[in-house]
């Protein structure tokens, strides 16, 4: 357990010191939120009673979380495979689950700034929520990041190293597009999006913010993605460990 904690601390420090990761997970989503919020003040999402500024608060907070948990893990693991870091860890007394556990823990820490910064900016743009709403929305986005973390680990282990970056970017952009992170989706796009974790992280958090009833079917879909991606990550890790 000591080895897992030590490796976890190392992973957290490496992530927080990575300027590129911090830009794309904190500054970039925050900038997009400010630009979007400033252009839609006083407007409502069509067909709903949700102010656009509240919608974009959740959408871009989740967008930053997806970047932090999916992109960072997939590309970092691909690089570590190339450098032989994983082979070196096998020679230590670290348990087989330790590496994956450290990745998950560091990712849960790394996504916090992406949520907090966007939420803090939201208070300057007229977003007015109760303490319960702020905390509930935070927890939905934070815990929902587990699906993207596990998926990133699975991609990092299961996809050929040269293909990790394009595969990750395609999933990242397409998932965010269909999940409503850039704009409110409807029609066929929404129908497709409802099968994805990007949609339900954003939608459940939006329901919390808007005080709408929680769609428990969506909660089940998101939970299934978390479990499914977790199992896939474990399988890919074990397969790579046996290579």
């Amino acid at each position: 357990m000591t080895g897992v904690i030590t490796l976890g601390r190392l992973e957290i420090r490496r992530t927080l010191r990575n300027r590129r990761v911090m830009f794309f997970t904190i500054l970039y989503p925050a900038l997009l939120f400010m630009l979007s919020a400033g252009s839609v003040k006083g407007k409502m999402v069509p067909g709903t009673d949700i102010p656009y500024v509240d919608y974009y608060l959740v959408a871009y907070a989740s967008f930053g979380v997806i970047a932090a948990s999916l992109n960072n893990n997939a590309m970092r693991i691909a690089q570590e495979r190339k450098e032989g870091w994983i082979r070196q860890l096998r020679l230590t007394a670290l348990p087989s689950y330790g590496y994956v556990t450290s990745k998950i823990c560091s990712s849960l820490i790394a996504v916090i700034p992406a949520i907090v910064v966007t939420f803090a900016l939201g208070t300057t743009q007229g977003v007015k929520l109760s303490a319960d709403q702020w905390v509930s929305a935070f927890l939905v986005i934070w815990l929902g990041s587990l699906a993207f973390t596990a998926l990133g680990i699975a991609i990092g282990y299961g996809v050929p190293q040269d293909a990790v970056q394009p595969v990750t970017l395609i999933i990242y952009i397409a998932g965010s597009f269909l999940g409503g992170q850039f704009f409110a989706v409807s029609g066929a796009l929404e129908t497709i999006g409802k099968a994805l974790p990007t949609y339900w992280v954003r939608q459940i958090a939006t329901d919390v913010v808007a005080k709408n009833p929680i769609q428990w079917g969506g909660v089940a879909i998101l939970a299934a993605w978390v479990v499914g991606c977790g199992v896939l990550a474990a399988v890919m890790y074990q397969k790579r460990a046996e290579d």
Side-chain angles (χ1 to χ4, degrees), residues 101-188:
T101 300
S102 67
K103 288 292 185 185
I104 293 173
C105 292
S106 65
S107 183
L108 284 173
I109 298 298
V111 301
I112 291 176
I115 306 173
V116 171
V117 170
T118 305
F119 278 17
L121 291 174
T123 63
T124 70
Q125 299 300 310
V127 178
K128 297 180 179 179
L129 305 176
S130 66
D132 288 346
Q133 288 173 294
W134 284 115
V135 172
S136 297
F138 173 88
L139 289 175
V140 169
I141 298 173
W142 186 57
L143 294 176
S145 72
L146 289 171
F148 311 111
T149 297
L151 181 57
I153 294 172
I155 292 172
Y157 282 125
V159 175
Q161 295 174 23
D162 293 340
V164 167
Q165 183 171 6
V167 168
T168 302
L169 289 177
I170 289 172
I171 293 174
Y172 172 47
I173 298 301
S176 297
F177 181 83
L178 294 170
Q181 270 70 31
F182 300 134
F183 57 87
V185 291
S186 60

Side-chain angles (χ1 to χ4, degrees), residues 5-103:
I5 294 174
T6 301
L7 183 58
R9 289 175 178 172
L10 174 62
E11 290 290 343
I12 292 170
R13 287 198 296 269
R14 290 174 64 190
T15 299
L16 296 180
R17 289 175 181 174
N18 190 318
R19 295 180 180 179
R20 181 179 63 83
V21 171
M22 290 298 99
F23 174 78
F24 283 104
T25 61
I26 300 177
L27 298 182
Y28 185 52
L31 177 62
L32 290 177
F33 169 68
M34 292 296 288
L35 292 174
S36 299
S39 65
V40 295
K41 284 187 177 180
K43 298 180 181 179
M44 310 293 285
V45 177
T48 73
D49 57 354
I50 303 171
Y52 256 120
V53 67
D54 291 9
Y55 179 91
Y56 281 129
L57 172 81
V58 170
Y60 284 118
S62 61
F63 180 66
V65 162
I66 296 167
S69 51
L70 175 62
N71 297 5
N72 182 48
N73 280 293
M75 296 181 191
R76 173 68 63 79
I77 289 172
Q79 184 64 29
E80 290 174 351
R81 285 171 55 193
K82 182 177 181 180
E83 295 172 350
W85 173 242
I86 300 173
R87 288 195 298 271
Q88 293 180 37
L89 287 177
R90 291 182 202 154
L91 301 177
T92 70
L94 187 73
S96 60
Y97 66 84
Y99 180 78
V100 174
T101 300
S102 67
K103 288 292 185 185

